[in-house]
Amino acid sequence: MKKAGGAEKKRVRRSSGALQNGGRDSNSDTPPRKQAIQKDVFQLFAEKVRDHKDLVSRWAVLQETRVEYFRGKDFVRFLKNHPELKDILESDRNLEAEDIADVLLRKNLLVRCDRVVKTLRPGKKKLSTWPAHLEIFPDQVFSENDAFFAWTFVKRRPLWQTLLSFFWPVVTLAICLFPVYPHRCKLLILYSCLGVLLLFLSLLVLRGAIFGALYIVLGKRVWFFPNILAEEATLRELFRFWPKKDEEERPKWTTRVFYAAVGVLVILLLRHHAPDEAARARYQKRVSNIIDDVLEWSPRLALSGMMENLQPVVNATDASNATEEGVTPPDGMGAETITEQHEAEVSDNLENGDENIDNSEENLDNSGEQKHDI
């Protein structure tokens, strides 16, 4: 009986201690296990936000490393437009955008940056909206006013990028084997590449002409396909047709007149120095010959050409090989007869050389006598 009563007292003490510890834990900070879960939740939230297309971001160089970054005000606007993403944070879904960004900064998922160039360039009235070079800001606190934040974790690559990295060596090998393709495949590849190149150059010339006309006439900078030459643009942004809003100051009329005069002068010079029909025909023939050589080349032709070049060399050495191996030449000629004929040819050549030297000396003497008579 005593033992049973002592056991019950111990159970009551343990239960009361557990309740007290539970009360302390509930009043204290988050336990380590829950902190680990929250860290995974914020990591997932950061990945979802980074992969979302509505968050405007750019690429820049931060300490010799290319990073993807965004502006603070864009982050706040993005969370206001997409509050459903906060559900990933579970218990912290009610946090404000500034608090969420501060947590991401403390967990080293973000780093606050600042522009390297802080002075205005000549002719500009404000700094660049998206600087190309960044540096780490000393105070790692979220702010909306001219603050930039770069992602520090490695972005997960999608499936199509993995497949592209796998097939890229195969494509490279196929390009190297272009000379051995059949003639029809060569024509198909050639005209396809020329068509894409012509389309791209025509697009650049057209957008340049539209920009120049609108700049001179209306004084507005309008670039259709504004991201066609951007290095860090995505595939969707690369083929964006509608131009961006012109945020720069309108140019003066004198500047527009100057560029108009320069454009007219360039057009007149190109028209004056344009090649004539004969020069164009020669150039076209030369280019067509080069293309025909590339298209008509095949390994069989290359091997046949090599054999034709080696054949005379083999014929010249047949006689010497025959004499070395002891084989009797045709028509009953022996090795002695061949050597005698060779010596006779050498002596005839020497005699002809001596006669040529004597004739040249006589000509020199005759020319000297004629000069003396004169």
Side-chain angles (χ1 to χ4, degrees), residues 212 215-217 251-267:
Y215 182 84
I216 294 173
V217 177
K252 300 179 180 179
W253 67 272
T254 54
T255 306
R256 294 156 56 186
V257 170
F258 171 76
Y259 282 115
V262 171
V264 173
L265 182 61
V266 169
I267 293 174

Side-chain angles (χ1 to χ4, degrees), residues 50-345:
R50 186 176 183 180
D51 293 335
H52 207 286
K53 297 180 180 180
D54 290 343
L55 179 61
V56 183
S57 61
R58 294 290 186 274
W59 289 85
V61 178
L62 175 64
Q63 296 180 351
E64 299 180 358
T65 304
R66 295 185 74 250
V67 294
E68 185 180 5
Y69 72 100
F70 58 88
R71 299 181 298 181
K73 57 182 180 180
D74 293 334
F75 182 76
V76 175
R77 188 185 305 112
F78 170 76
L79 290 182
K80 287 181 180 179
N81 297 330
H82 300 279
E84 68 278 1
L85 292 176
K86 292 184 180 181
D87 296 337
I88 303 175
L89 302 177
E90 297 178 355
S91 60
D92 296 325
R93 65 172 62 92
N94 295 324
L95 293 177
E96 297 294 334
E98 294 80 359
D99 299 331
I100 296 174
D102 288 333
V103 175
L104 295 177
L105 289 171
R106 287 197 302 268
K107 293 181 178 295
N108 293 326
L109 297 174
L110 286 178
V111 60
R112 183 176 176 180
C113 306
D114 193 10
R115 61 178 78 243
V116 176
V117 180
K118 301 179 179 62
T119 58
L120 293 175
R121 292 183 297 175
K124 301 291 183 179
K125 288 191 175 182
K126 62 179 182 179
L127 296 173
S128 176
T129 306
W130 298 98
H133 297 274
L134 299 174
E135 60 183 3
I136 297 178
F137 193 73
D139 190 8
Q140 292 295 316
V141 180
F142 182 79
S143 176
E144 299 185 33
N145 301 324
D146 198 23
F148 306 99
F149 300 90
W151 300 106
T152 58
F153 60 92
V154 180
K155 186 178 181 181
R156 295 181 181 178
R157 294 198 305 175
L159 180 60
W160 68 271
Q161 289 186 358
T162 305
L163 296 177
L164 182 62
S165 62
F166 177 75
F167 287 109
W168 186 248
V170 180
V171 175
T172 305
L173 182 61
I175 294 173
C176 296
L177 294 178
F178 175 78
V180 299
Y181 285 174
H183 187 72
R184 292 183 179 179
C185 294
K186 290 181 180 180
L187 288 177
L188 179 63
I189 296 173
L190 177 64
Y191 288 123
S192 300
C193 295
L194 290 178
V196 173
L197 183 60
L198 182 61
L199 177 63
F200 186 72
L201 293 178
S202 302
L203 180 62
L204 293 180
V205 172
L206 180 62
R207 70 192 291 265
I210 295 174
F211 174 83
L214 295 178
Y215 182 84
I216 294 173
V217 177
L218 302 177
K220 294 184 178 181
R221 303 173 181 87
V222 179
W223 284 109
F224 290 96
F225 294 98
N227 300 323
I228 196 68
L229 299 176
E231 297 180 358
E232 61 277 357
T234 61
L235 187 63
R236 183 179 180 181
E237 294 177 351
L238 191 65
F239 295 99
R240 179 185 174 185
F241 175 76
W242 195 250
K244 297 180 180 179
K245 185 179 179 180
D246 188 11
E247 299 179 354
E248 299 182 6
E249 185 183 1
R250 187 174 182 179
K252 300 179 180 179
W253 67 272
T254 54
T255 306
R256 294 156 56 186
V257 170
F258 171 76
Y259 282 115
V262 171
V264 173
L265 182 61
V266 169
I267 293 174
L268 292 177
L269 289 175
L270 292 176
R271 186 176 180 180
H272 178 72
H273 294 283
D276 54 359
E277 187 64 24
R280 188 196 61 79
R282 290 194 302 269
Y283 182 75
Q284 182 180 2
K285 184 178 180 181
R286 188 186 308 170
V287 173
S288 62
N289 291 334
I290 295 173
I291 296 175
D292 292 339
D293 292 340
V294 174
L295 294 178
E296 294 176 359
W297 186 91
S298 65
R300 294 181 180 178
L301 293 176
L303 292 175
S304 63
M306 293 173 61
M307 295 301 295
E308 290 177 357
N309 293 331
L310 292 175
Q311 189 173 2
V313 179
V314 174
N315 293 333
T317 57
D318 282 343
S320 61
N321 292 334
T323 55
E324 291 178 358
E325 296 177 359
V327 179
T328 305
D331 299 334
M333 291 191 302
E336 296 179 356
T337 307
I338 294 174
T339 55
E340 290 177 357
Q341 291 180 356
H342 180 69
E343 292 177 356
E345 291 177 357

